[in-house]
Every structure is written in C-alpha cells, then in structure tokens.
C-alpha cells in the first residue's frame, strides 16, 4: 500500500476487554481472603461445590462400566456432530421426556458441561445491551458470562423467609423490552431450595405475560429430598419457550467429565428454526462434550440403578438435617432448611456479631479460629449469609457444626449494638 | 417503579447477532451443494478431516489403556482446576519442552480441544475492531471465531508454487496498529505444507519487527514426513511471544476426545501476567477438558510407542505419494505435494474445464458422476483448488484417483477458451 501505516514499535500486548471483564466473584472474594487455618485443628472445607472431593460419594459402578465399554468399543474416538451423537441425544430425550413436555433427539444439544449449555443459551438469546434476570442469591456463572458478553444483569430477589421463593413482584418489575432471558435455577445453588409446582406456575405466568423465554438451570433436577416433588419447569408450561440446562455433573457425581445438555422445549414453536439453528452454529465453535462420555451416555442413563440416586439423596437429606438441626440452635445464626441440591444457606445476625464487618470477615475468622471454611454468600451477591456444602462425610459435618457453634458462642453479643465505632 | 416500562406483548425471540455471525464456511458451502452420488459407484469421501472414519487408523492400545486406567483409578471424576490438573499440565510441558523453548507446567493450559485453545487465545489477545492475520488458504475456524467476536480478519497469501510458503511481503503489508495476532498454521490444514526452519525465521522476523504476537496452530506438529523436519515455531524465536495451540486430536487419532492445550512461550516476558491471567479467567467460563482424558494424559504422552507415530506418518506419506503421483499426470490438475499433516491440495486449471463455473461446481459434479467427494477450497477462501484428505485406506485412494482421472479426461478441453458464453 502506498500510505505507510502506523505500526507498533514496542511490545505492548494487553489482555482483551472480554478477558478483563470475565469476573469470577467467587475467586475475587476467596482470593482476597486471608485463609490461615488454626494449625491445631484439621481443616474442614464446606465450601467446595464438588461432591467428589471427600471420596464418600463415589459415582455408581454402572457409570464407570459404561465408560470402559465406550473406550473398548473403539467406536467413539472420532469427531461427533457438534451437537452430539444422535443416539446419545436420543438417550437424553428419552430420559427426560414426559407426557406434558415430550422431547425428541433433535430437541437435545450435548455440551461440555452445564456451563457450556448456559453459555450457549445466553449466547443465542441475548445481544449486548440486552438484560437478563438472574436469581439473587444465585450461581455466579450467569453474571460472569453475561457481563463478559456485554449483557446486563438484573438480580431478582429470592425470599429466605419463604424458603427462597422468588419475589415475584420484584422480578416482574425488572422486566423491560430489552429483557431477553429469565434464568430460573431449580433446585437452587446456593440455596438448596426447591420450588413448589404452584410457585413455578406463578413464575411461568410472569414469563408468559411479558413474553420472556426461560433458561431453566436444572442441573440439580431430581436431586430433591423424599417427600418433595420437583416437576421440570417445562412440564408446567404450554407456551413459554424453555431451554433447560442440565448434565451429569451433580446427580451422577462426575462433574469433571464435562457432560452437559440443553433441552429445547418450545411447544408453541415460538423459537422457530432461528434459535435452534443459532444453537447449532454456536456449538460448532469449539464442539462439545468428549465422545467417550457421549458414547457412554446411553448406558449411564439407562443402567444406573435407582438405589444409587436414592442413596445420594438420603445422604444429602440426612446431612442437611444434621447441619440445620445443629445450627438452628446456635444464637445469631439462621439456617434455612433445604429441600434438595447439596447446599444450605445460613443467615448471620450481624447485629449480634459486632466484631465482624460482614460475611467475608466472619467466614475468614472462622477459618483462622476453627479451620472451617464456608463460602461467604457475598460471592452470590447476598451478604450476611454463608453457604454450606452438605456433601462432606457425616462426622465432618458434625464436627464442623460443633466448631461453628463454639465460634459463634465466642463472638455472639446478646444485644444489638451500634457497630459503627468498631469499623474502619 | 413509577414509570410503566414498555414490554413485549407478543413472542418475538430472535437469535443474537453473535449466533447469526457465527459462520462456518465449510457448512455454508457444503450444505449448498447438491451431493447426489452416482448410484452405480460406492461413495468415497475424501473430504472429512477425521482420520478415524474409515477404521484404518486406530489409535494406539497404550492410549486406550491410559483411559481405562484413568477410569479405574476413581481419581479423575471431580472438577479439575479450570486450566487442568497440574500433573497433566506438567506432562504436556515435559513432552514439548526443548532447550531452545523450555516449558513449565504453568506455561500449559489444557482446553476442550485445539478449537477451544484457539478460541481462548484469540479471545485474550483481541478486542472488537482489532484485526488478525490469517493464512489463505487456511483453516476456517479462525475466521468463524474472530468474526463472531467482532474482530476483523486479514488474509495473507500462501504461495502454492513455493510449497505454500507465506508471501511475506503481502503478510507484512497487512499489519497495522490494530493487528493483535498473527496466526501461523504449521504443518498446514488444508495444504499439508511444512515450513523450513529458514522460512519460519523469516515469519518471526516480521512478527518481531512489528511487535505482533503469534498464535501458532501446531495441532499437526510432528506429523511430518520422514526426511522433513519441523521445529516448533517457539523454538526458533527468542523475543516474539508465541501461544502454541495443539492437542491429541490428530497425532493420537482421537479428535472426539476434545483434549487440547495452549503452550505459552514468552521468554522475554512480553506478555507479563496480564495475558496469563486473562487466559485463566477465560478458562473459568466453561472449564476445559474432560477429567478422564486429563487423567490419562501423562500415560498417553509417555507410553505411546514411537512405532505408532511412525506408522501413521509412513501411511500418510505413502498415500500422499500415490495421490500426488496419480493426479500430477491428470491433464488440468495441479496437485501440490505435501510434507506433513493429512491433506493435499489440488489446483484446477479452470480454463481447461469450461463446463464448470468454479471449484464448487467441479467437485459437485465429481460426486454426481464418480461418487468422489473432495472439499472445494472455496471453503478455505481459495477458489479453484480442492482439498483431498489422505487418511483413507490405500485402495480407496487409488480408486478415487482413477475416478478423478476419468472425470477430468471427460471434461478436459485442450485449449483454453472463453468460458463466458457457457455461463449463465
Ligand atoms: C446451578 C449450577 N448450574 C451449573 C453448574 C455448572 O455445571 P457443570 O459443572 O456441568 O458445568 C453448577 C455447578 O456448580 C451449578 O451449581
Ligand atoms: C489447523 C487446525 N487447527 C485446529 C483444529 C481443531 O482441532 P480440535 O479438533 O482439537 O479442536 C483442526 C481440526 O481439523 C485443524 O485442522
């Protein structure tokens, strides 16, 4: 070209805005904490949302056998279609299909974990400048992904006093013409709550009235305590398009395997081919799940015995009851009993703990004194709570609760006092 | 809120701009072709970049055993760090480290296939409005990803008459102050070319002069024919930061497993912590590779026998020679002999084939008459060539070449003629 272009004369490589705006609040908060356990007490981490870390919740032998068979078959080494093998998609469709919300293979897209399912759904529904409605407290990935894509996040409140039901009025008040997606997490991380049929119907009514499609994060589907039912959101709607995200991570206890899926429910054909095509296109960017896991999927879904699921759930329920029972008699703490998933949220009466600035400070000091680490709920945009993961072995749960009690007893001040002079 | 917001009154769910701008040129072209094989001849697809489809190139038993061991260990079911297990990163670092370009575990990021490695590197280096330099002909994913992120693509020419070396002057002329990344694919898809040490040094000189970091797509590294050497790009540079993308897909013949990696070479510390941190942040979006494959990685890299690699390469070389030998005597065709990877490009003297509008038309008719499908190189922005995948069984390769010869003989017109009256 005739005209000399201006070029760089020195090295000056900067990270992109997208990289810089990919913020993980859990990391941001945890990395900023001084976590120095009391060396006289063994560390108990109640913070990690990975049910496999303590070894007490192994996956089922049928799941492992399905993987061995997939390896031995030599059939699953090549590229799969970007949306997954038809047969594996069919297996997922069969597994989740129900009379009220039937599914065909073409309604299923396999992804690299539920995380990629969420990324693809937000990616296909939202443009920069749009906004999405996200539960508060809620799983932080929604915001991380949305903000990095230039999509605004509006948090709608969940109500602890109503077992974390949605504040429907608040949610509805947030909807405007740029609201392109409503995210509903049921059962919930971090709350462990499970919505009643009636409550889901009310949420659907709002979505229907304002014509907002739903991203249903149902990664904890069927992980509900006995006596509690949790129909899929799609099974309760006949008009709202619902993109349900799920995967093997939690229920089958293999989060590292990165097997997720999107179930497309669109009985009134609102989405048309554009959204489906859009999801296919997005899936072609990096392709999805590992073919060995895809090849094992049909057997995993069909051969895992019911007893495996029930065992996990009884354990989670029992641990939740222990934890709730213990902590509900600790002055200054307000645990909320969960009905599913693998979490329990505990409110802190900060008025009674004038020694601490907030939940981050509280949980940091809990590590220092008692070597118990709970995630401060600031990580879920919900200060003055902390989250307990109930997948740890029972004896650890018992011990952790005893230590939390000791810690609270030590720092509890019976009457609320003005904490302002303690700050700074 | 006091003011009534405008809200949607009807369903109107549209795919996002990103989804709509995620364009896969291979799909766009192939889906637009009328591919109706001649039913008297069995179809031979020379189009699929998946070495596993014909069953003649199985992966090594050591690779499968590593997977079985990873499953049986029960150690690789939980979440790995988002950049991969330290031990697996160490194994990759050890495997690729060399005196001129040493690697530590911290220089390795594991990803879901080489595709995600490319996505993360482009994602961390480039902002919307920036441009990247991409080889032409070249692998289409670079453009697909870049365009969907609002990044411009500038194609630099490769020269078929120089065994697909880079037109260095052309490449340099494209660089401006918004050029944030130079992509170099070596060995190349679709060309099968392998740059000499000297040529790589010339490319590095341009990058160094203009301070442009390199994304080295080295997914075909070490897949070079005997007698030809292919040092890694990083091993030849002491100043240019090089993010090398690779994976198990091709050399280990398991593309479906989605195991890729980024090797960060930055001996002058140009990238600083920002780019490394940026890659870590981006890796946290959806997490990377399946933990079973990660768990198997060390054994895969250490236990795969040399004989496996050499066998694959001899096969690819032999098939390339058959194909090149046959097609170079077909009037009107100009095959370019590859030196590695698994592809061979063939030029079409369109002047001698006045019956066809272009490479798409030519390859479409080749299916209709001869049931042989080659990818028209328009899919790589390089019209009037087609690409042959040389991983098919030898007898298929021989048969395909014979049919291509027959096809060309039938349509060849000895002297160039004005094709304009044939068009329309
Ligand atoms: C609510 C929720 N959704 C999605 C995910 C991500 O699942 P995956 O590991 O399959 O990506 C998690 C993981 O903790 C989660 O809690
Ligand atoms: C040059 C090049 N880079 C990257 C890839 C993608 O590799 P993966 O399947 O590991 O994502 C391919 C696949 O064909 C390729 O040819």
């Amino acid at each position: 070209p005739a005209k000399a272009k201006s070029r760089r004369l020195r090295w000056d490589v900067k990270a992109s805005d997208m990289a810089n705006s990919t913020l993980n609040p859990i990391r941001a908060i945890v990395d900023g904490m001084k976590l120095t356990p009391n060396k006289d007490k063994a560390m108990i981490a109640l913070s990690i949302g990975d049910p496999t870390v303590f070894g007490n919740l192994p996956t089922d032998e049928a799941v492992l056998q399905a993987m061995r068979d997939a390896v031995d078959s030599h059939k699953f080494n090549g590229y799969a279609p970007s949306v997954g093998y038809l047969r594996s998609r069919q297996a997922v469709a069969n597994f989740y299909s129900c009379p009220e919300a039937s599914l065909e293979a073409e309604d299923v897209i396999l992804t690299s974990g539920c995380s990629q399912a969420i990324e693809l759904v937000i990616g296909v529904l939202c443009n920069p400048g749009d906004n999405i409605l996200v539960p508060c407290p809620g799983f932080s990935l929604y915001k991380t992904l949305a903000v990095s894509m230039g999509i605004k996040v509006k948090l709608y409140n969940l109500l602890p006093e109503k077992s974390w039901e949605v504040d429907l009025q608040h949610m509805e008040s947030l909807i405007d013409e740029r609201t392109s997606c409503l995210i509903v997490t049921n059962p919930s991380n971090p709350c462990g709550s499970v919505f009643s049929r009636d409550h889901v119907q009310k949420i659907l009514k709002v979505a229907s009235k304002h014509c907002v499609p739903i991203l249903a994060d149902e990664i904890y589907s069927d992980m509900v305590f006995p006596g509690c039912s949790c129909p899929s959101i799609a099974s309760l709607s006949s008009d709202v398009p619902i993109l349900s995200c799920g995967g093997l991570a939690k229920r089958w206890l293999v989060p590292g395997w990165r097997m997720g899926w999107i179930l497309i429910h669109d009985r009134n054909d609102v989405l048309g081919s554009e959204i489906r095509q859009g999801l296919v296109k997005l899936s072609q960017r990096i392709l999805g799940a590992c073919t060995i896991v895809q090849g094992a999927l049909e057997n995993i879904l069909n051969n895992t015995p019911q007893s495996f699921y029930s065992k996990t759930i009884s354990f989670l329920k029992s641990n939740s009851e222990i934890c709730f029972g213990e902590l509900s008699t600790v002055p200054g703490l307000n645990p909320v009993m969960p009905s599913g998933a693998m979490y329990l949220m505990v409110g802190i009466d900060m008025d009674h703990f004038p020694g601490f600035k907030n939940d981050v400070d509280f949980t940091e000091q809990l590590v220092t004194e008692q070597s118990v680490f709970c995630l401060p709920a600031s990580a879920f945009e919900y200060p003055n709570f902390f989250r307990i993961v109930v997948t740890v072995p029972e004896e650890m749960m018992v011990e952790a609760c005893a230590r939390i009690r000791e810690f609270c007893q030590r720092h509890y001040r019976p009457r609320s006092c003005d904490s302002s002079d303690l700050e700074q």
Side-chain angles (χ1 to χ4, degrees), chain A residues 7 10 20 51 53 88 92 112 135 138 141 147 168 191 225 227 248 275 292 317 320 349 373 376 399 407 423:
Chain A
R7 290 162 185 182
R10 292 181 296 111
N20 288 331
V53 278
S88 313
V92 174
S112 182
L141 183 68
V147 168
L168 292 160
C191 305
F225 299 163
L248 289 183
I275 296 292
I292 294 292
K317 184 179 184 195
S320 299
D349 260 338
F373 184 39
E399 168 71 14
F407 178 81
E423 272 169 19

Side-chain angles (χ1 to χ4, degrees), chain A residues 61-307:
Chain A
E61 176 53 29
V63 175
L64 298 175
Q65 191 52 46
M67 286 290 277
R68 288 185 206 105
D69 292 345
V71 170
D72 291 340
S73 77
H74 302 91
K75 283 194 312 195
F76 306 115
N77 299 331
Y79 286 113
S82 65
V83 293
Y85 292 123
L86 188 64
R87 188 159 173 160
S88 313
R89 297 163 72 198
Q90 185 67 57
V92 174
N94 293 348
F95 194 81
Y96 285 106
S97 201
C98 66
E100 310 79 40
S102 71
L103 286 166
E104 306 291 335
E106 61 172 20
D107 302 319
V108 177
I109 289 179
L110 301 184
T111 57
S112 182
C114 184
S115 299
Q116 195 196 16
I118 294 166
E119 184 186 50
L120 296 189
V121 170
I122 295 178
V124 81
L125 290 178
C126 310
N127 277 316
D130 284 358
N131 64 74
I132 61 176
L133 304 191
V134 167
C136 179
F139 182 52
S140 54
L141 183 68
Y142 315 132
K143 184 166 172 180
T144 302
L145 292 173
V147 168
S148 78
M149 301 189 224
I151 298 156
K152 296 197 185 86
V153 168
K154 296 187 177 189
L155 301 175
Y156 65 84
N157 292 331
L158 304 182
L159 303 167
E161 66 278 15
K162 288 183 141 185
S163 301
W164 302 107
E165 282 192 348
V166 174
D167 180 339
L168 292 160
Q169 250 189 312
H170 181 233
M171 184 178 88
E172 184 164 4
S173 75
L174 297 173
I175 298 176
D176 65 23
E177 73 219 317
R178 297 291 311 255
T179 304
S180 43
C181 173
L182 164 61
I183 299 187
V184 180
T185 316
N186 189 43
S188 159
N189 175 8
C191 305
S193 54
V194 178
F195 296 147
S196 70
R197 167 181 296 261
D198 182 54
H199 189 60
V200 172
Q201 273 159 344
K202 285 182 181 146
I203 296 171
L204 283 165
K205 216 162 152 182
V206 176
S208 174
K209 179 171 161 201
H210 298 286
C211 301
V212 179
I214 291 180
L215 184 171
D217 184 343
E218 300 184 312
I219 183 78
Y220 299 101
S221 73
D222 300 302
M223 292 180 77
V224 298
F225 299 163
C228 171
S229 90
C230 181
S232 74
I233 299 184
S235 71
L236 299 179
S237 173
S238 55
D239 65 331
V240 180
I242 290 161
L243 299 169
S244 171
C245 299
L248 289 183
K250 310 293 176 170
R251 196 171 180 212
W252 288 267
L253 299 168
V254 288
W257 294 6
R258 314 311 301 135
M259 172 53 79
W261 47 72
I262 302 167
L263 312 179
I264 306 173
H265 292 280
D266 181 29
R267 267 176 309 295
N268 274 3
D269 207 16
V270 162
L271 301 178
S273 66
E274 199 182 304
I275 296 292
R276 287 173 187 266
Q277 281 305 314
L279 288 170
V280 171
K281 283 191 200 175
L282 292 179
S283 76
Q284 291 173 351
R285 296 166 64 98
I286 65 164
L287 309 185
C290 172
T291 42
I292 294 292
V293 189
Q294 286 194 41
L297 194 51
E298 186 176 3
N299 283 336
I300 291 175
L301 297 178
N302 295 341
N303 300 348
T304 305
Q306 199 53 45
S307 57

Side-chain angles (χ1 to χ4, degrees), chain A residues 321-342:
Chain A
E321 281 167 348
I322 290 170
C323 183
F324 177 80
E326 282 301 312
L327 299 189
S328 56
T329 62
V330 173
L333 295 188
N334 300 302
V336 184
M337 181 62 194
S339 311
M342 34 185 245

Side-chain angles (χ1 to χ4, degrees), chain A residues 344-362:
Chain A
L344 182 153
M345 284 276 273
V346 183
I348 315 168
D349 260 338
M350 293 308 301
D351 279 357
H352 287 294
F353 297 100
F356 304 116
K357 282 200 291 271
N358 51 37
D359 55 320
V360 178
D361 198 14
F362 182 98

